[in-house]
Each structure stands twice: as C-alpha cells, then as structure tokens.
C-alpha cells in the first residue's frame, strides 16, 4: 500500500484554492519532482499574478513574486546570474499567454535554461471568470456573456503549438490533471522539464490543462468532464517538442 | 600621472557604462532607443569582459524585470533607456522599489511628450522625482552635470542603491549622453561598508526559504506597515543624502538654478555676468530627490529673486518654490521638446533683472 506523504518542497498548510481546482494537484506534482531530484535547497521559484500568486506560502523554497506576465524575464535575470540554481516559473494563462506573451516567446526563443509550468484553465480565475487568451470558442465568461466569438475575440491561443516553431525551445508537452492517469503523465512531463534544466538542455515548458469549477460555474465533477470532453479537443495532449 | 588615472576620452553614455563596470555592475539588460544606444552597445562587450552578463531584452518592460530578478540574486545590476522607454519601465520600478531591491536605472532624457524627438530634454523630472509608477515610493535621483561627475555619480549610484536597498536613477539627457569629453577614471572607492545581503534568493541551503514579494493582503494592516517602513526609509535618505553645489551665492542678488547640463550652461552665464559686475550666483542640485532645500532657503535671506532654467516647461521650478518657501519670486526660463538654452540667452535673462 502506497503511503501518502507530503513532499518536503511543500509546507504543511491548507491552500486557498477552491474545491476541485487543479492548482493544488499541479503544485503537488512540482513539489514531488523537486523532492525526487533533491534540488529543493537550490531552487528559486517565481510566483505569477493570478490564482497562484500565493504559491510562496505553499512552496518550501525561495520564491520571488513577479509583476503580471513578467516571470520569464525575472527568471532570466535570476538564472543568468545563478546558472547553478534551479529556476522555475509557475504561470496561469492570462499571465503567460496574454499580458506576458512577449516575455514568454522571447525567453523561449533565447533558449533560457528554465522550467516553465503553464496552468491553462481557459479562464481568469482570481479576477472572477473573465475571458482568457485560452478561452475556447463559444465558452461563456463574464466578459464574453454570449460566448467567445471567432470574429470578435478570435480563437484560443495554443501555446505549445505556437512555441514549437522556435529553435531555442528544448521541450514542450501538454498534459492534464483531470484524471489519475493524466496526473501520472503530468508528473512525468514535469520531471522531464526539471531534468532538462539540470542537464542544461534549455527552455522546457509543460502546459497543464486544469479545472476551474468556480469560474466555470460547475461542480468539481462537471469540471473534470469539461476538461475531458471540451478542453482536450481544443488543446490536444502530447509532446510538441523534444530535442 | 599613472596609467590607472590617465585621462580617457569617451561619450557620456560610455562614461556611465565604464563607471558602472568599475563599480562592480555584473548584470545589464536594455533595449535600443536613441539617444542612449551607446549604453547597451558598450555594455554588450565591456560587461562580458568584466565577467558580467548582458542581455538585449525584447522590451524595456522585460529589461527592468530581468533587473528585478538579477537584483534578487544580490549582484549589482543596471538598465538604461530614454524617456518613452523609461515610461515602459515604470511598472517594474514600482515593484523593485516595493521589494526594496537595489538597482541602477539611467534615463538619458529626450524630447516629449509621446514619441517626442531624439533631442535632449528634461521633461521627465516629475516622473523621476515624484514617482512615475503606481503607489507611494521614491527613487534616489542623481543629476550629474559634467562628464567627470557622470563618472563619479554612477559609481556612487551603486553604493546608494545597496546601502538604502532602493533603486537609484541617473537622470541625464541627450546632450550629456552624446557629448565627448576627457575624464579622469578614478578608481572605485565604496562610500559605505558593505551591508549583509540577507535578502538574496539563491536556494535555501542551510537557511529558511526567503520570499521576495510586493503583495500584502493579510493581515489588513500589513501593507500599511510596509508603507510606514518605506516612509521611514525615505525620511532617513532625505536626512542623509541631499547633495548640491552652491556657486557664488553668498552675495548674490539673483540666484540661478538648474540641474544637469542646464546647470553647466547656467554656470557659464553666471561667470559672464560676474565679469560684468553683476552679483549673480548658482545653486545646482546634485540629488534631485531628495531635493536639497537648505541652500535655497539660505539664499532667500539675501537674494532678491531666483531664476530656474530647465529644458522643460517648468518642473524643478516647483521644487525650488517649495524649497525657498515662496520667500522670493521664482522666475522660470525654459521650454520642452528639444530646446536648450545658450549661455547668451541665460545671460540676457540675468541682465533683465538689472535694469540699465
């Protein structure tokens, strides 16, 4: 029987995440990987603006909280000065794919030796459910009450596909935390993204499809169904680059 | 003269870089914008030569945030830009100030508002000294007036930044940036004993994890306490770091004032006026924040009037009025957009004060 143990990389505290939210799972996977690689004491994480901003209260390692979307630039400054440290960003879709798009693309293109954990829940969580760059066509949000329109808001940004053309990128994979099987695969991808950094292979990004029952106005079970039946169609899981 | 102090001939922008490198700057991120392009260009090879890191960022926003990250690792770091680019950096400057991290930011001012032009101007004074970004904060703002002072103040800027754990802005302009003049590159002499950098993020080996953050939600008073701490720090800086030059002010009936290159031009006019027997002096703030009020208040006891010269529509003039507490009239001479005063024009203004 597997014994459930909290990773050393996470504090023993309750999180502020809503019931059914995927952040807790994603952060636990990151914590487990940091433990398994034995790098907690040489890791610096960057907190985004969005639901995960308080991650410095959960991660038992050095953390810097960044302006909205600027984590890749802040992480660049840290990693360039401390190349022997493990530096990861943890960002939501608004942070990484809207306000921080320029930083994302250029950090990836420079091939910065960083690990990026990109949590895509297709909505702005912290501000109460507005349209995200990854909101899907037809999806209702508080700023697309009639559903996201192709000719009005444009379609969702697919970050893995977008970044896959850049020579500087080492590794891109889209995973999900919606089912136990997906969670296992997600952990494998996150571990690879950290290992790549330890092996100085360059920019690695793992996109994690995640549930937001509160702002999707669903039960946690319905939210899992939504990822399975809707999001995975628009955001197919898989490896988009592996150099 | 030994080799270390032999004069070197550089552009102002390069003088600033050379001083930064010699003061131990190890990280620079920047973006091209005229008239500061020599800064990233010079840093791109010189900083590498000195064992540092140079990054050409995708934007001024990215550059200031790279500096944010580098500053958190404890290394001396710098970014530069010119007016429109400095506007883009304001978000990051607010965060770095809130996080109380040291860094140096150079603004080689050009004409504005908007895209403006690429001629020298001083229209960013309010932005620099009153807080250009959101929230209550202060930058230490240094206003060098000559090449030699640009060199020494740039070195000092890194010391002030570390000592007060606050961003320091070097406020120059397109003239100072583009001028070529010989300077004596004096060796770097730290102004303070190095303070322990107990805020550095480098992995938590052998210690508790550290957090660099600017969000303070709970308890409700947390952010108020942060602001109180900042207020106390700014008061301490105000008490310790007001730098100015007083030139022939003891018997002056008219006191001219300006900062940066404008003060150099005004000084030329003051000297010519003295040759004509006119009792004119000059007060030149070297720190424009904190603003050195005391020389103005002292001069107001004897002088009849102040004349403030700026390459702007009149910004520092407000601080002069506050400094001398409206005891004497303060006239303004200047306009923004790339205009600069000549010695003759300033002299004419001085002579206007002394009717024939």
């Amino acid at each position: 029987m597997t014994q459930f143990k909290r990773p050393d990389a996470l504090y023993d505290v309750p999180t502020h995440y809503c019931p059914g939210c995927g952040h807790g799972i994603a952060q636990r996977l990151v914590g487990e990987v940091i433990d398994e690689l034995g790098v907690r004491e040489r890791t610096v994480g960057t907190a985004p603006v969005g639901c995960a901003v308080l991650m410095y209260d959960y991660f038992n390692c050095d953390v810097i909280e960044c302006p909205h979307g600027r984590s890749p630039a802040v992480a660049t400054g840290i990693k360039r000065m401390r190349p022997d440290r493990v530096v990861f960003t943890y960002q939501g879709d608004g942070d990484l794919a809207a306000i921080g798009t320029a930083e994302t693309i250029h950090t990836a293109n420079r091939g910065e030796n960083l690990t990026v954990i990109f949590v895509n829940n297709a909505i702005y969580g912290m501000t109460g459910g507005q349209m995200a760059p990854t909101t899907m066509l037809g999806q209702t949000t508080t700023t697309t009450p009639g559903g996201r329109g192709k000719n009005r808001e444009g379609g969702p940004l697919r970050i893995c596909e977008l970044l896959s053309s850049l020579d500087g990128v080492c590794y891109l994979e889209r995973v999900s935390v919606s089912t136990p099987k997906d969670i296992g695969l997600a952990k494998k991808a996150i571990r690879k993204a950290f290992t790549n950094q330890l092996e100085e292979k360059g920019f690695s990004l793992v996109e994690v499809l995640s549930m937001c029952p509160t702002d999707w106005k669903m039960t946690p079970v319905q939210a899992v169904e939504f990822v399975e039946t809707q999001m995975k169609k628009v955001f197919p899981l898989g490896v988009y680059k592996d150099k | 003269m030994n080799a270390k102090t032999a004069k070197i001939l550089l552009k102002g922008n390069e003088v600033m870089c050379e001083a930064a490198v010699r003061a131990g700057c190890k990280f620079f991120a920047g973006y091209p914008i005229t008239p500061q392009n020599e800064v990233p260009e010079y840093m791109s090879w010189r900083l590498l030569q000195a064992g540092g890191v140079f990054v050409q960022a995708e934007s001024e926003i990215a550059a200031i945030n790279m500096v944010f990250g580098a500053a958190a690792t404890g290394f001396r770091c710098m970014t530069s830009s010119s007016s429109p680019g400095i506007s883009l950096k304001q978000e990051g400057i607010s965060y770095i100030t809130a996080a109380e991290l040291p860094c140096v930011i150079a603004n080689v001012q050009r004409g504005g508002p908007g895209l403006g032009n690429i001629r020298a101007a001083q229209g960013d004074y309010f932005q620099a000294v009153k807080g250009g970004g959101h929230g209550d904060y202060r930058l230490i703002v240094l206003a060098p007036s000559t090449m030699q002072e640009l060199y020494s103040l740039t070195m000092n800027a890194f010391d002030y930044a570390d000592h007060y754990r606050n961003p320091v802005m070097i406020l120059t302009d397109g003239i100072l940036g583009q001028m070529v003049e010989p300077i004596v590159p004096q060796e770097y002499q730290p102004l303070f004993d190095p303070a322990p950098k107990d805020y550095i993020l480098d992995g938590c080996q052998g210690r508790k994890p550290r957090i660099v953050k600017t969000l303070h939600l709970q308890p409700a008073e947390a952010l108020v306490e942060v602001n109180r701490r900042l207020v106390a720090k700014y008061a301490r800086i105000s008490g310790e770091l007001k730098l100015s030059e007083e030139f022939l002010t003891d018997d002056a009936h008219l006191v001219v004032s300006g900062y940066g290159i404008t003060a150099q031009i005004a000084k030329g006019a003051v000297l010519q006026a003295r040759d004509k027997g006119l009792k004119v002096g000059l007060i030149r703030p070297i720190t424009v924040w904190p603003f050195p009020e005391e020389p103005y208040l002292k001069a107001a006891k004897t002088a009849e009037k102040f004349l403030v010269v700026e390459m702007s529509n009149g910004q520092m003039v407000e601080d002069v009025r506050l400094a001398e507490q409206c005891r004497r009239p303060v006239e303004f001479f200047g306009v923004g957009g790339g205009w600069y005063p000549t010695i003759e024009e300033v002299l004419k203004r001085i002579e206007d004060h002394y009717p024939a």
Side-chain angles (χ1 to χ4, degrees):
Chain A
M1 191 178 141
T2 311
Q3 199 178 350
F4 184 87
K5 185 183 164 289
R6 175 183 51 81
D8 286 342
L10 294 175
Y11 293 119
D12 187 11
V13 291
T15 72
H16 72 290
Y17 298 120
C18 304
C21 169
H23 274 302
I25 304 169
Q27 292 187 4
R28 183 180 164 95
L29 296 181
V30 173
E32 286 179 1
V33 166
I34 289 173
D35 270 21
E36 289 168 16
L37 296 175
V39 295
R40 184 182 72 83
E41 291 188 324
R42 59 188 183 103
T43 293
V44 181
T46 72
V49 170
C51 284
V53 64
L54 297 178
M55 65 177 251
Y56 46 70
D57 287 337
Y58 311 141
F59 276 95
N60 184 15
C61 65
D62 282 3
V63 178
I64 183 168
E65 170 220 295
C66 306
H68 200 16
R70 316 298 174 217
S71 291
V74 174
T76 296
I78 296 168
K79 186 70 182 182
R80 290 287 188 109
M81 297 318 289
R82 299 277 181 175
D84 57 337
R85 302 307 198 269
V86 177
V87 182
F88 77 95
T89 78
Y90 185 98
Q91 303 173 260
D93 39 48
D95 196 85
L96 182 140
I99 201 163
T101 314
E103 285 79 1
T104 302
I105 289 177
H106 287 275
T107 303
N109 194 51
R110 286 192 304 269
E112 299 289 345
N113 190 27
L114 297 168
T115 303
V116 175
I117 308 301
F118 166 41
V119 177
N120 174 5
N121 58 14
I123 204 151
Y124 278 77
M126 181 171 259
T127 46
Q130 297 81 8
M131 181 187 73
T134 49
T135 292
M136 296 174 293
L137 286 175
Q139 189 182 339
T140 303
T141 72
T142 59
T143 51
T144 53
R148 182 172 187 161
K150 188 178 172 188
N151 298 323
R152 198 172 45 235
E153 288 89 14
L157 269 181
R158 294 181 180 88
I159 286 296
C160 283
E161 289 86 333
L162 190 70
L163 296 183
S164 64
S165 70
L166 304 179
D167 290 342
V169 174
C170 165
Y171 172 59
L172 298 166
E173 182 166 355
R174 184 180 289 126
V175 298
S176 171
V177 288
S178 51
T179 71
K181 185 187 165 208
D182 283 321
I183 291 169
L185 292 171
K187 181 172 173 185
K188 221 175 121 195
I190 291 169
R191 189 182 164 105
K192 187 173 168 72
F194 274 88
T195 307
N196 285 345
Q197 185 179 162
L198 293 174
E199 293 171 0
E200 297 180 16
K201 284 179 155 179
F203 186 89
S204 296
L205 179 147
V206 178
E207 176 174 347
V208 182
L209 301 186
S210 180
M211 298 75 69
C212 182
T214 302
D215 286 313
W216 292 350
K217 304 187 188 345
M218 293 177 188
T219 66
V221 173
Q222 287 169 332
V224 166
E225 275 302 298
F226 186 76
V227 175
E228 291 298 301
T229 58
Q230 308 291 317
M231 285 188 76
K232 283 185 178 177
K233 269 191 221 157
V234 177
F235 302 106
L237 304 190
V239 177
Y240 286 81
K241 189 156 195 181
D242 190 4
K243 269 210 289 205
Chain B
M1 189 178 284
N2 68 43
K4 275 185 178 168
T5 54
K7 283 189 175 179
I8 54 172
L9 187 68
L10 291 171
K11 265 190 175 186
N13 283 336
E14 297 167 338
V15 166
M16 188 164 65
C17 295
E18 191 54 39
V21 171
R22 292 184 189 208
C25 176
K26 289 291 179 222
F27 182 87
F28 181 94
Y31 186 87
I33 180 171
T34 309
Q36 67 88 54
N37 294 318
E38 293 81 7
V39 185
E41 284 171 354
Y42 195 90
M43 285 306 217
S44 71
W45 63 269
R46 183 67 177 95
L47 199 48
L48 261 59
Q49 198 181 59
V53 173
F54 166 85
V55 183
Q56 179 168 334
E58 62 270 28
S59 69
E60 283 90 347
I61 298 170
I64 189 73
N65 281 288
M66 288 174 189
V67 163
F68 186 22
T73 66
F75 288 94
R76 290 191 157 183
C77 53
M78 181 178 183
T79 184
S80 74
S81 192
S82 179
S83 308
I86 294 291
S87 292
L88 283 172
K89 289 189 195 294
Q90 293 300 331
E91 177 203 45
I93 292 172
S94 172
Y95 277 74
I96 297 171
T97 311
E100 295 192 73
L101 293 177
C103 70
V104 173
I105 303 148
N107 183 0
V108 187
Q109 293 176 90
R110 63 186 243 181
L115 195 53
N117 61 19
I118 58 170
R119 300 180 66 182
Q122 295 182 317
D124 304 345
Y125 179 90
F126 284 153
Q127 186 194 52
V129 307
K130 307 294 180 189
H134 60 283
D136 281 343
Y137 71 85
R138 294 290 187 177
L139 301 179
I140 295 166
V141 187
L142 307 176
S145 184
T146 64
M147 289 293 110
Q148 192 65 50
E149 195 179 46
L150 178 58
Y151 182 83
S152 58
L153 280 184
T154 300
M155 287 183 161
N156 296 345
F158 286 91
D159 291 338
Y160 295 140
D162 273 347
H163 187 67
Y164 294 109
R165 274 183 62 181
N166 206 72
V168 176
M169 177 169 279
I170 301 168
L171 193 61
T172 76
D173 61 73
I175 298 176
L176 280 170
Q178 296 299 318
M179 262 166 61
V180 179
E181 235 179 51
I183 60 146
V184 180
Q186 286 129 347
E187 273 189 70
Y188 168 63
Q189 299 285 350
L191 295 175
F192 309 100
D193 293 331
K197 295 193 171 183
D198 55 4
Y199 56 87
I200 289 173
L201 303 186
D202 58 353
C204 59
Q205 190 158 22
R207 60 166 170 78
K208 282 186 176 170
R210 291 180 183 140
I211 299 168
V212 171
K213 66 168 188 168
T214 64
L215 179 74
H216 303 277
L217 294 176
Q218 286 179 336
E221 291 296 302
L223 186 56
V224 176
E225 284 312 311
V226 169
N227 274 270
R228 286 208 174 100
R229 192 175 73 227
L230 290 176
V231 167
K233 181 169 86 172
Y234 301 147
R236 184 179 147 223
I237 297 170
S238 282
E240 295 173 357
L241 193 65
K242 287 176 180 170
L243 305 174
S244 62
E245 178 192 355
E246 291 164 72
F247 182 66
L248 305 175
T249 50
D250 283 351
D251 62 343
H253 294 163
L254 176 68
V255 172
V256 184
S257 190
Y259 73 93
I261 192 66
T262 314
Q264 270 309 100
I265 296 166
K267 192 183 251 182
V270 165
L271 282 170
Q272 290 196 12
R274 283 276 169 179
D275 285 345
K276 296 185 175 196
L278 304 178
K279 289 187 172 174
V280 184
L282 175 88
I283 299 174
R284 177 176 74 87
I286 297 169
T287 53
V288 282
W289 196 89
F291 193 80
E293 300 98 348
E294 193 270 332
Y296 294 94
L297 203 52
K298 194 173 78 185
K301 287 178 187 160
T302 49
E304 293 158 7
K305 199 161 74 180
F306 292 90
L307 171 66
V308 176
V309 187
E310 294 177 64
M311 300 191 295
S312 78
N313 299 340
Q315 300 190 12
M316 190 188 88
V317 63
E318 294 187 6
D319 281 340
V320 173
R321 288 193 180 112
L322 285 170
E324 58 97 39
Q325 299 176 1
C326 298
R327 293 183 185 189
R328 304 288 174 189
V330 179
E331 284 187 5
F332 176 70
F333 179 45
V335 69
W339 170 89
Y340 64 90
T342 62
I343 288 177
E344 293 71 31
E345 285 170 323
V346 178
L347 183 62
K348 170 83 172 46
R349 290 287 176 138
I350 292 170
E351 286 172 336
D352 285 349
H353 179 65
Y354 299 93

